[in-house]
Amino acid sequence: MKTFLILISFLFLSNSDVLHKDTSLQLEKNGNIVGLPKSFSPANFDINKKKLRLNNKEIVFPNCVKFYFDEQKNSKLDLSASWYHSKETMPYYLIFNIENKKGSKGYKILVDLETLDLLYVQKSKTRGITTYNKNIELDEKCLNEYKDNIKTIN
């Protein structure tokens, strides 16, 4: 038993992905995103236009994605990100967490921090202490429109 506990402890201490936690970001009133490394600057999200800029990449979310921001009336928006894990596991990412005021349901939109590619959209629902996430399948037209909206700024 002692050997088993030592082995488990070693695995947790040697594998940083096991202890991984996303970094909370702050969205200022002027749209600036605070908390990302300088390599992703400037970082800005215009909540009204649903326009995201990270470094030299910019996207205005198409209507098929804007819908998830607008669907929850009086929702709250939280941003978090991760850029300190192995990219072999998952690209560096930014999460838009859109929840109703009770925090019982909402959406998560995951975007690649470097390319702005859409990684996925999930619907989340919380019951008690358990949260259920279900991936939303976006149609090809929406995905193509999303990709076409990504611009590189010189």
Side-chain angles (χ1 to χ4, degrees):
M1 182 66 164
K2 186 176 180 181
T3 305
F4 177 74
L5 291 175
I6 291 170
L7 179 62
I8 293 296
S9 297
F10 177 77
L11 288 173
F12 275 99
L13 293 174
S14 65
N15 186 353
S16 62
D17 288 341
V18 172
L19 303 174
H20 179 81
K21 183 168 172 40
D22 294 335
T23 299
S24 292
L25 304 174
Q26 183 180 9
L27 182 61
E28 295 181 332
K29 288 183 181 182
N30 65 1
N32 288 335
I33 300 171
V34 178
L36 288 170
K38 291 204 183 289
S39 60
F40 298 109
S41 293
N44 186 280
F45 181 64
D46 184 322
I47 190 103
N48 296 318
K49 295 179 182 175
K50 309 301 186 276
K51 182 166 103 177
L52 173 64
R53 175 164 184 193
L54 296 175
N55 191 1
N56 68 338
K57 299 283 187 186
E58 181 177 87
I59 184 168
V60 176
F61 291 133
N63 288 335
C64 59
V65 176
K66 285 180 184 177
F67 165 83
Y68 298 106
F69 287 93
D70 299 333
E71 200 266 335
Q72 296 290 330
K73 298 296 180 210
N74 299 316
S75 62
K76 70 176 191 168
L77 174 64
D78 291 315
L79 299 178
S80 60
S82 179
W83 59 88
Y84 44 87
H85 58 273
S86 169
K87 283 199 265 184
E88 293 174 8
T89 308
M90 178 124 187
Y92 300 157
Y93 59 83
L94 171 68
I95 299 175
F96 292 87
N97 189 27
I98 308 152
E99 293 183 330
N100 64 6
K101 291 292 184 188
K102 295 178 187 177
S104 60
K105 61 182 177 175
Y107 298 98
K108 291 181 189 222
I109 300 171
L110 203 83
V111 174
D112 185 307
L113 270 174
E114 296 176 308
T115 65
L116 300 188
D117 288 339
L118 182 64
L119 300 174
Y120 63 73
V121 177
Q122 288 184 333
K123 184 172 187 169
S124 61
K125 186 176 239 182
T126 301
R127 290 197 178 131
I129 60 170
T130 305
T131 300
Y132 303 93
N133 293 312
K134 180 181 178 192
N135 284 353
I136 296 173
E137 296 294 326
L138 300 174
D139 64 30
E140 191 173 332
K141 180 183 176 197
C142 177
L143 295 174
N144 288 335
E145 189 177 353
Y146 185 96
K147 284 185 179 196
D148 290 344
N149 283 5
I150 298 172
K151 305 294 182 217
T152 300
I153 302 166
N154 295 327

